């Protein structure tokens, strides 16, 4: 596989941020992929996810939010984060080379992608892939973070660990049940970081492989 190509994209008045295009030769789709609150696009977890997706025929355009690009500790406001999602989708549409385009992200990045999609159409995007959607804070079950999902007009796939402390299974299922375009794929034994306990008999790599295969199936059904 060729080395990732580096790009930069402008987020309005919020500066320029970095992006990485990782495209396998057999790519069937391109995913604009946002990072979680505590990581950035080069984090090992993002690389591992991009590698698993590439093996399943999904190219990725990873990108930073401005707060990570400029070394600020606090995540960007929803206004800045959604502007970043929109800018990344615009760049992805330019480099997609005819591939069907999808958007999504891990945790915070996925939530900001759904928020952006609830506010305005994402250019050329056919569906959303959400890895470890953070429905609520750990130990504080709530559904307020799902309120905007009813305004998302795109098909959505939520890939969620059964042991995710940021998404109580019953609450997530209840939140998605009224949404006809939302699908939920549970990853057995996985936590919010898609890590598994040794006694589970599974490996982290197997979880990522399952997530990537489910993503590919979803993309095929949509595209």
């Amino acid at each position: 596989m060729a080395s990732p190509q580096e790009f930069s994209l402008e987020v309005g008045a919020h500066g320029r941020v970095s992006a990485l295009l990782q495209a396998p030769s057999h790519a069937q789709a391109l995913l604009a992929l946002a990072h979680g609150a505590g990581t950035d696009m080069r984090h090992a977890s993002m690389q591992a996810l991009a590698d698993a997706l590439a093996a399943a025929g999904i190219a990725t355009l990873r990108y930073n939010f401005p707060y990570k690009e400029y070394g600020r500790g606090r995540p960007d406001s929803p206004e800045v984060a959604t502007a970043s999602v929109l800018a990344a989708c615009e760049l992805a549409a330019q480099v997609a080379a005819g591939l069907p385009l999808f958007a999504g992200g891990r945790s915070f990045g996925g939530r900001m992608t759904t928020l952006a999609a609830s506010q305005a159409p994402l250019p050329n995007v056919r569906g959303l892939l959400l890895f470890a959607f953070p429905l609520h804070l750990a130990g504080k079950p709530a559904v307020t973070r799902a309120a905007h999902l009813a305004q998302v007009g795109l098909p959505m796939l939520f890939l969620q660990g059964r042991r995710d402390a940021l998404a109580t299974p019953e609450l997530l299922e209840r939140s998605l049940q009224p949404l006809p375009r939302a699908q939920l794929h549970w990853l057995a034994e996985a936590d919010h970081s898609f890590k598994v306990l040794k006694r589970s008999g599974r490996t982290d790599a197997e979880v990522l492989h399952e997530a990537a295969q489910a993503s590919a199936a979803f993309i095929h059904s949509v595209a």
Side-chain angles (χ1 to χ4, degrees):
M1 184 186 303
S3 299
Q5 292 180 261
E6 298 202 14
F7 291 87
S8 66
L9 58 99
E10 186 173 345
V11 186
H14 309 294
R16 299 189 70 84
V17 299
S18 303
L20 283 175
L21 175 65
Q22 184 168 334
S25 59
H26 62 296
Q28 301 298 309
L30 174 61
L31 172 66
L33 183 63
H35 61 77
T39 64
D40 63 16
M41 69 174 189
R42 297 184 188 275
H43 190 269
S45 63
M46 291 293 290
Q47 184 64 63
L49 178 57
D51 288 344
L53 291 168
I58 304 170
T60 53
L61 180 72
R62 287 176 277 159
Y63 60 96
N64 279 338
F65 288 110
Y67 77 98
K68 278 296 181 180
E69 186 75 17
Y70 295 102
R72 299 189 289 266
R74 188 182 183 89
D76 295 314
S77 68
E79 178 185 4
V80 175
T82 54
S84 303
V85 171
L86 182 60
C89 290
E90 290 173 344
L91 174 61
Q94 294 173 25
V95 302
L99 294 175
L101 181 60
F102 290 77
R106 290 197 73 139
S107 194
F108 172 81
R111 184 163 72 93
M112 291 299 102
T113 300
T114 59
L115 184 60
S118 75
Q119 296 171 346
L122 300 178
N124 299 310
V125 170
R126 301 190 186 190
L128 305 182
L129 289 162
L130 298 320
F131 302 90
F133 186 84
L135 183 62
H136 53 72
L137 298 176
K140 298 182 178 180
V143 296
T144 53
R145 288 182 175 179
H148 69 279
L149 296 177
Q151 280 71 56
V152 177
L154 294 168
M156 296 177 282
L157 176 63
F158 291 77
L159 299 117
Q160 211 76 24
R162 276 283 185 184
R163 295 191 303 112
D164 193 336
L166 276 64
T168 304
E170 303 90 319
L171 287 182
L172 184 59
E173 289 176 346
R174 188 192 313 165
S175 298
L176 300 185
Q177 192 277 329
L179 306 177
R181 309 203 76 183
Q183 300 178 36
L184 176 58
H185 183 96
W186 287 113
L187 299 165
E189 307 295 337
D191 63 10
H192 187 66
S193 299
F194 289 177
K195 300 293 186 182
V196 293
L197 300 173
K198 287 185 178 180
R199 66 170 181 264
S200 72
R202 304 189 78 197
T203 66
D204 298 346
E206 288 171 343
V207 171
L208 286 179
H209 175 76
E210 180 183 341
Q213 292 299 314
S215 298
F218 171 76
I219 284 173
H220 179 73
S221 71
V222 171

